[in-house]
Short mmCIF file of all heavy atoms in Angstrom, two decimals:
data_model
loop_
_atom_site.label_atom_id
_atom_site.label_comp_id
_atom_site.label_asym_id
_atom_site.label_seq_id
_atom_site.Cartn_x
_atom_site.Cartn_y
_atom_site.Cartn_z
N GLY A 755 40.95 2.42 7.05
CA GLY A 755 42.17 2.13 6.42
C GLY A 755 42.75 0.69 6.61
O GLY A 755 42.34 0.20 7.58
N GLU A 756 43.49 0.28 5.76
CA GLU A 756 43.93 -1.13 5.70
C GLU A 756 44.92 -1.33 6.96
O GLU A 756 45.06 -2.52 7.36
CB GLU A 756 44.65 -1.51 4.44
CG GLU A 756 44.82 -3.01 4.34
CD GLU A 756 45.07 -3.40 2.88
OE1 GLU A 756 45.18 -2.60 2.00
OE2 GLU A 756 45.30 -4.64 2.60
N ALA A 757 45.50 -0.38 7.48
CA ALA A 757 46.46 -0.44 8.56
C ALA A 757 45.70 -0.90 9.85
O ALA A 757 46.38 -1.42 10.79
CB ALA A 757 47.19 0.79 8.87
N SER A 758 44.45 -0.84 9.93
CA SER A 758 43.61 -1.28 11.07
C SER A 758 43.52 -2.84 11.05
O SER A 758 43.22 -3.38 12.09
CB SER A 758 42.18 -0.65 11.05
OG SER A 758 41.46 -1.21 10.02
N LEU A 759 43.79 -3.46 9.87
CA LEU A 759 43.61 -4.92 9.94
C LEU A 759 44.73 -5.72 10.48
O LEU A 759 45.94 -5.46 10.20
CB LEU A 759 43.40 -5.35 8.33
CG LEU A 759 42.32 -4.78 7.56
CD1 LEU A 759 42.30 -5.25 6.19
CD2 LEU A 759 40.94 -4.94 8.21
N ILE A 760 44.37 -6.74 11.34
CA ILE A 760 45.41 -7.75 11.78
C ILE A 760 44.70 -9.03 11.61
O ILE A 760 43.54 -9.24 11.28
CB ILE A 760 45.75 -7.49 13.20
CG1 ILE A 760 44.57 -7.54 14.12
CG2 ILE A 760 46.59 -6.17 13.33
CD1 ILE A 760 44.88 -7.35 15.64
N GLY A 761 45.50 -10.15 11.83
CA GLY A 761 45.05 -11.50 11.63
C GLY A 761 44.63 -12.24 12.93
O GLY A 761 44.63 -11.73 13.97
N HIS A 762 44.28 -13.46 12.71
CA HIS A 762 43.74 -14.40 13.69
C HIS A 762 44.94 -14.52 14.76
O HIS A 762 46.12 -14.54 14.49
CB HIS A 762 43.44 -15.71 13.09
CG HIS A 762 43.07 -16.84 14.01
ND1 HIS A 762 42.13 -16.85 14.81
CD2 HIS A 762 43.74 -18.00 14.03
CE1 HIS A 762 42.03 -18.01 15.43
NE2 HIS A 762 42.91 -18.73 14.98
N ARG A 763 44.50 -14.45 16.06
CA ARG A 763 45.45 -14.84 17.19
C ARG A 763 46.38 -13.55 17.42
O ARG A 763 47.36 -13.77 18.17
CB ARG A 763 46.18 -16.09 17.14
CG ARG A 763 45.19 -17.40 17.01
CD ARG A 763 45.87 -18.62 17.36
NE ARG A 763 46.40 -18.53 18.76
CZ ARG A 763 45.69 -18.82 19.86
NH1 ARG A 763 44.25 -19.07 19.77
NH2 ARG A 763 46.15 -18.78 21.08
N GLU A 764 46.11 -12.51 16.88
CA GLU A 764 47.09 -11.35 17.07
C GLU A 764 46.45 -10.55 18.23
O GLU A 764 45.31 -10.65 18.75
CB GLU A 764 47.05 -10.42 15.67
CG GLU A 764 47.89 -11.18 14.61
CD GLU A 764 49.42 -11.29 14.94
OE1 GLU A 764 49.98 -10.28 15.21
OE2 GLU A 764 49.77 -12.49 14.86
N HIS A 765 47.16 -9.44 18.56
CA HIS A 765 46.91 -8.57 19.72
C HIS A 765 46.33 -7.21 19.09
O HIS A 765 46.99 -6.58 18.32
CB HIS A 765 48.07 -8.36 20.67
CG HIS A 765 48.50 -9.57 21.36
ND1 HIS A 765 49.25 -10.58 20.73
CD2 HIS A 765 48.23 -9.92 22.66
CE1 HIS A 765 49.50 -11.52 21.66
NE2 HIS A 765 48.83 -11.13 22.82
N THR A 766 45.32 -6.76 19.82
CA THR A 766 44.77 -5.37 19.58
C THR A 766 45.08 -4.50 20.71
O THR A 766 44.92 -4.96 21.91
CB THR A 766 43.26 -5.46 19.50
OG1 THR A 766 42.88 -6.04 18.13
CG2 THR A 766 42.55 -4.07 19.53
N LEU A 767 45.62 -3.26 20.42
CA LEU A 767 46.02 -2.36 21.46
C LEU A 767 44.87 -1.52 21.99
O LEU A 767 44.15 -0.96 21.20
CB LEU A 767 47.02 -1.47 20.85
CG LEU A 767 48.47 -2.13 20.33
CD1 LEU A 767 49.32 -1.12 19.85
CD2 LEU A 767 49.01 -2.96 21.57
N ARG A 768 44.69 -1.57 23.30
CA ARG A 768 43.67 -0.73 23.93
C ARG A 768 44.40 0.56 24.53
O ARG A 768 45.33 0.41 25.26
CB ARG A 768 43.01 -1.52 25.04
CG ARG A 768 42.12 -0.70 25.89
CD ARG A 768 41.36 -1.47 26.88
NE ARG A 768 40.59 -0.61 27.82
CZ ARG A 768 39.33 -0.82 28.17
NH1 ARG A 768 38.65 -1.85 27.66
NH2 ARG A 768 38.77 -0.01 29.15
N PRO A 769 43.97 1.75 24.16
CA PRO A 769 44.54 2.96 24.68
C PRO A 769 44.60 2.88 26.20
O PRO A 769 43.63 2.52 26.87
CB PRO A 769 43.76 4.10 24.13
CG PRO A 769 43.10 3.62 22.89
CD PRO A 769 42.93 2.11 23.23
N ALA A 770 45.72 3.48 26.75
CA ALA A 770 45.81 3.49 28.23
C ALA A 770 44.72 4.24 29.03
O ALA A 770 44.32 3.79 30.14
CB ALA A 770 47.16 4.07 28.61
N ASN A 771 44.12 5.28 28.29
CA ASN A 771 43.10 5.95 29.00
C ASN A 771 41.74 5.60 28.57
O ASN A 771 40.75 6.18 28.97
CB ASN A 771 43.30 7.50 28.62
CG ASN A 771 43.11 7.78 27.20
OD1 ASN A 771 43.16 6.79 26.34
ND2 ASN A 771 42.96 8.99 26.75
N ALA A 772 41.54 4.41 27.85
CA ALA A 772 40.20 4.07 27.53
C ALA A 772 39.46 3.47 28.55
O ALA A 772 39.93 2.69 29.29
CB ALA A 772 40.30 3.11 26.29
N GLN A 773 38.20 3.85 28.67
CA GLN A 773 37.18 3.41 29.71
C GLN A 773 36.30 2.31 29.20
O GLN A 773 35.80 1.62 29.94
CB GLN A 773 36.47 4.52 30.34
CG GLN A 773 37.37 5.60 31.09
CD GLN A 773 38.10 4.89 32.19
OE1 GLN A 773 37.60 4.22 33.10
NE2 GLN A 773 39.44 5.08 32.23
N HIS A 774 35.96 2.39 27.94
CA HIS A 774 35.03 1.48 27.26
C HIS A 774 35.41 1.25 25.84
O HIS A 774 35.26 2.03 24.88
CB HIS A 774 33.67 2.15 27.33
CG HIS A 774 32.51 1.13 26.96
ND1 HIS A 774 31.26 1.24 27.30
CD2 HIS A 774 32.59 -0.15 26.46
CE1 HIS A 774 30.55 0.18 26.98
NE2 HIS A 774 31.33 -0.58 26.34
N MET A 775 35.97 0.08 25.61
CA MET A 775 36.38 -0.45 24.33
C MET A 775 35.71 -1.75 24.13
O MET A 775 35.82 -2.74 24.83
CB MET A 775 37.91 -0.68 24.22
CG MET A 775 38.37 -1.30 22.91
SD MET A 775 40.25 -1.33 22.89
CE MET A 775 40.41 -2.36 21.48
N HIS A 776 34.91 -1.97 22.98
CA HIS A 776 34.08 -3.11 22.76
C HIS A 776 34.35 -3.66 21.49
O HIS A 776 34.69 -3.05 20.52
CB HIS A 776 32.57 -3.01 23.11
CG HIS A 776 31.91 -2.00 22.22
ND1 HIS A 776 31.57 -2.20 20.85
CD2 HIS A 776 31.51 -0.69 22.43
CE1 HIS A 776 30.99 -1.24 20.32
NE2 HIS A 776 30.95 -0.21 21.28
N TYR A 777 34.16 -4.97 21.38
CA TYR A 777 34.25 -5.79 20.09
C TYR A 777 32.96 -5.54 19.23
O TYR A 777 31.90 -4.98 19.74
CB TYR A 777 34.27 -7.31 20.29
CG TYR A 777 33.20 -7.67 21.17
CD1 TYR A 777 31.93 -7.92 20.68
CD2 TYR A 777 33.30 -7.78 22.56
CE1 TYR A 777 30.88 -8.28 21.43
CE2 TYR A 777 32.34 -8.18 23.44
CZ TYR A 777 31.08 -8.33 22.78
OH TYR A 777 29.99 -8.84 23.64
N GLU A 778 32.97 -5.82 17.90
CA GLU A 778 31.85 -5.89 17.11
C GLU A 778 31.97 -7.17 16.15
O GLU A 778 32.81 -7.02 15.18
CB GLU A 778 31.51 -4.62 16.34
CG GLU A 778 31.24 -3.46 17.30
CD GLU A 778 30.83 -2.20 16.49
OE1 GLU A 778 30.71 -2.22 15.30
OE2 GLU A 778 30.54 -1.19 17.23
N CYS A 779 31.31 -8.12 16.37
CA CYS A 779 31.40 -9.38 15.52
C CYS A 779 30.62 -9.12 14.22
O CYS A 779 29.37 -8.79 14.26
CB CYS A 779 30.80 -10.54 16.14
SG CYS A 779 30.78 -12.04 15.18
N GLU A 780 31.19 -9.18 13.09
CA GLU A 780 30.65 -8.80 11.82
C GLU A 780 31.01 -9.73 10.63
O GLU A 780 32.15 -10.22 10.57
CB GLU A 780 31.14 -7.37 11.42
CG GLU A 780 31.00 -6.36 12.49
CD GLU A 780 31.00 -4.87 12.01
OE1 GLU A 780 30.87 -4.71 10.68
OE2 GLU A 780 31.06 -4.00 12.86
N LEU A 781 29.97 -9.99 9.81
CA LEU A 781 30.20 -10.69 8.57
C LEU A 781 30.94 -9.71 7.60
O LEU A 781 30.37 -8.61 7.39
CB LEU A 781 28.93 -11.18 7.97
CG LEU A 781 28.94 -11.70 6.55
CD1 LEU A 781 29.64 -13.06 6.64
CD2 LEU A 781 27.56 -11.85 6.01
N ALA A 782 32.07 -10.11 7.09
CA ALA A 782 32.75 -9.30 6.17
C ALA A 782 32.63 -9.89 4.70
O ALA A 782 33.00 -11.09 4.61
CB ALA A 782 34.28 -9.25 6.51
N VAL A 783 32.36 -9.16 3.78
CA VAL A 783 32.12 -9.53 2.44
C VAL A 783 33.35 -9.12 1.61
O VAL A 783 33.66 -7.91 1.67
CB VAL A 783 30.86 -8.89 1.79
CG1 VAL A 783 30.61 -9.28 0.31
CG2 VAL A 783 29.62 -9.19 2.68
N VAL A 784 33.92 -10.02 0.86
CA VAL A 784 35.15 -9.66 -0.02
C VAL A 784 34.58 -9.60 -1.41
O VAL A 784 34.09 -10.61 -1.97
CB VAL A 784 36.23 -10.64 0.12
CG1 VAL A 784 37.44 -10.26 -0.68
CG2 VAL A 784 36.69 -10.76 1.69
N ILE A 785 34.79 -8.44 -2.09
CA ILE A 785 34.40 -8.32 -3.54
C ILE A 785 35.38 -9.13 -4.42
O ILE A 785 36.59 -9.09 -4.23
CB ILE A 785 34.42 -6.78 -3.84
CG1 ILE A 785 33.37 -6.09 -2.96
CG2 ILE A 785 34.05 -6.68 -5.34
CD1 ILE A 785 31.94 -6.50 -3.23
N GLY A 786 34.85 -9.76 -5.41
CA GLY A 786 35.62 -10.64 -6.30
C GLY A 786 35.89 -10.06 -7.55
O GLY A 786 36.95 -10.45 -8.21
N ARG A 787 35.07 -9.07 -8.12
CA ARG A 787 35.37 -8.52 -9.46
C ARG A 787 34.76 -7.18 -9.51
O ARG A 787 33.94 -6.74 -8.66
CB ARG A 787 34.88 -9.45 -10.53
CG ARG A 787 33.27 -9.71 -10.65
CD ARG A 787 32.93 -10.74 -11.54
NE ARG A 787 31.62 -11.10 -11.74
CZ ARG A 787 30.72 -10.68 -12.58
NH1 ARG A 787 31.17 -9.80 -13.53
NH2 ARG A 787 29.52 -11.03 -12.61
N THR A 788 35.24 -6.36 -10.38
CA THR A 788 34.82 -5.03 -10.53
C THR A 788 33.34 -4.83 -10.58
O THR A 788 32.60 -5.56 -11.44
CB THR A 788 35.52 -4.30 -11.72
OG1 THR A 788 36.85 -4.49 -11.59
CG2 THR A 788 35.09 -2.82 -11.79
N ALA A 789 32.71 -4.04 -9.74
CA ALA A 789 31.39 -3.86 -9.58
C ALA A 789 30.92 -2.41 -9.85
O ALA A 789 31.33 -1.61 -9.06
CB ALA A 789 30.90 -4.35 -8.32
N ARG A 790 30.06 -2.12 -10.67
CA ARG A 790 29.56 -0.82 -10.88
C ARG A 790 28.09 -0.87 -11.37
O ARG A 790 27.84 -1.64 -12.39
CB ARG A 790 30.43 0.00 -12.07
CG ARG A 790 29.99 1.44 -12.18
CD ARG A 790 30.73 2.29 -10.94
NE ARG A 790 30.57 3.79 -11.25
CZ ARG A 790 29.70 4.48 -10.70
NH1 ARG A 790 28.72 4.02 -9.82
NH2 ARG A 790 29.70 5.78 -10.93
N HIS A 791 27.20 -0.23 -10.75
CA HIS A 791 25.72 -0.27 -11.10
C HIS A 791 25.27 -1.72 -11.10
O HIS A 791 24.57 -2.18 -12.01
CB HIS A 791 25.45 0.46 -12.46
CG HIS A 791 25.95 1.88 -12.52
ND1 HIS A 791 25.27 2.80 -11.68
CD2 HIS A 791 26.75 2.59 -13.32
CE1 HIS A 791 25.86 4.02 -11.91
NE2 HIS A 791 26.72 3.93 -12.90
N VAL A 792 25.60 -2.36 -10.02
CA VAL A 792 25.25 -3.85 -9.88
C VAL A 792 23.63 -3.84 -9.43
O VAL A 792 23.34 -3.11 -8.51
CB VAL A 792 25.97 -4.55 -8.92
CG1 VAL A 792 25.50 -5.89 -8.63
CG2 VAL A 792 27.48 -4.61 -9.47
N LYS A 793 22.88 -4.64 -10.00
CA LYS A 793 21.52 -4.92 -9.56
C LYS A 793 21.62 -5.88 -8.37
O LYS A 793 22.27 -6.84 -8.45
CB LYS A 793 20.61 -5.34 -10.64
CG LYS A 793 20.57 -4.40 -11.89
CD LYS A 793 20.00 -2.98 -11.36
CE LYS A 793 19.82 -2.11 -12.63
NZ LYS A 793 19.32 -0.76 -12.23
N ARG A 794 20.44 -5.64 -7.51
CA ARG A 794 20.48 -6.55 -6.33
C ARG A 794 20.45 -8.03 -6.73
O ARG A 794 21.02 -8.78 -6.04
CB ARG A 794 19.22 -6.09 -5.47
CG ARG A 794 19.07 -7.03 -4.28
CD ARG A 794 18.04 -6.30 -3.26
NE ARG A 794 17.79 -7.13 -2.16
CZ ARG A 794 17.16 -6.62 -1.05
NH1 ARG A 794 16.97 -5.41 -0.94
NH2 ARG A 794 17.15 -7.43 -0.08
N ALA A 795 19.71 -8.38 -7.74
CA ALA A 795 19.56 -9.73 -8.15
C ALA A 795 20.77 -10.35 -8.60
O ALA A 795 20.98 -11.64 -8.55
CB ALA A 795 18.49 -9.94 -9.18
N ASP A 796 21.73 -9.51 -8.95
CA ASP A 796 23.12 -10.02 -9.53
C ASP A 796 24.21 -9.88 -8.53
O ASP A 796 25.36 -10.24 -8.71
CB ASP A 796 23.45 -9.30 -10.85
CG ASP A 796 22.36 -9.46 -11.92
OD1 ASP A 796 21.88 -10.52 -11.95
OD2 ASP A 796 22.22 -8.46 -12.59
N ALA A 797 23.98 -9.41 -7.29
CA ALA A 797 24.93 -8.97 -6.41
C ALA A 797 25.96 -10.01 -5.94
O ALA A 797 27.06 -9.92 -5.88
CB ALA A 797 24.33 -8.32 -5.12
N TYR A 798 25.43 -11.23 -5.76
CA TYR A 798 26.17 -12.32 -5.16
C TYR A 798 27.17 -12.81 -6.31
O TYR A 798 28.31 -13.37 -5.92
CB TYR A 798 25.36 -13.51 -4.90
CG TYR A 798 24.72 -13.36 -3.51
CD1 TYR A 798 23.44 -13.91 -3.38
CD2 TYR A 798 25.27 -12.70 -2.47
CE1 TYR A 798 22.63 -13.82 -2.12
CE2 TYR A 798 24.57 -12.58 -1.28
CZ TYR A 798 23.17 -13.17 -1.04
OH TYR A 798 22.66 -12.96 0.08
N ASP A 799 27.02 -12.47 -7.49
CA ASP A 799 27.95 -12.74 -8.61
C ASP A 799 29.36 -12.02 -8.52
O ASP A 799 30.27 -12.41 -9.14
CB ASP A 799 27.36 -12.60 -10.02
CG ASP A 799 26.13 -13.39 -10.35
OD1 ASP A 799 25.99 -14.41 -9.69
OD2 ASP A 799 25.39 -13.03 -11.29
N PHE A 800 29.19 -11.00 -7.65
CA PHE A 800 30.49 -10.13 -7.51
C PHE A 800 31.11 -10.32 -6.23
O PHE A 800 32.10 -9.66 -5.86
CB PHE A 800 30.05 -8.66 -7.62
CG PHE A 800 29.54 -8.30 -9.00
CD1 PHE A 800 28.23 -8.55 -9.32
CD2 PHE A 800 30.33 -7.74 -9.85
CE1 PHE A 800 27.75 -8.22 -10.68
CE2 PHE A 800 29.91 -7.35 -11.14
CZ PHE A 800 28.57 -7.55 -11.55
N VAL A 801 30.79 -11.39 -5.44
CA VAL A 801 31.43 -11.67 -4.11
C VAL A 801 32.45 -12.82 -4.38
O VAL A 801 32.08 -13.96 -4.88
CB VAL A 801 30.40 -12.21 -3.23
CG1 VAL A 801 31.02 -12.52 -1.79
CG2 VAL A 801 29.38 -10.98 -2.88
#
């Protein structure tokens, strides 16, 4: 859900009872136009 998103230099809340909470550095792709039945060779045109 979009409510999970926060910005740069913001704070993430760790539950008080959590024993193991870890990051995951990930490349995020933002879609630029409506995509349906896109072929792999054309995929970058939709980013």
